[in-house]
Amino acid sequence: MRRLLAAAVTAVLATALAVGTALGIVAALQTTPEQPNTPLISYDTGRPAR
């Protein structure tokens, strides 16, 4: 009976740790600012080349 109780407590603690970690990761990803969508290279849009 003691082993069964220890296994149940371990399973509950592992589940709580997994849920807490998942919620922490989601919260960290939501606080990351949105990256600007600016091109690294831009070309002139003047006269076309001949």
Side-chain angles (χ1 to χ4, degrees):
M1 188 65 165
R2 190 166 251 215
R3 287 186 183 182
L4 182 61
L5 180 62
V9 169
T10 302
V12 168
L13 289 177
T15 303
L17 181 63
V19 169
T21 302
L23 291 176
I25 290 172
V26 168
L29 289 175
Q30 287 180 349
T31 59
T32 304
E34 191 77 22
Q35 297 296 320
N37 189 13
T38 56
L40 296 175
I41 300 173
S42 61
Y43 298 100
D44 284 335
T45 56
R47 295 184 312 179
R50 292 185 187 218

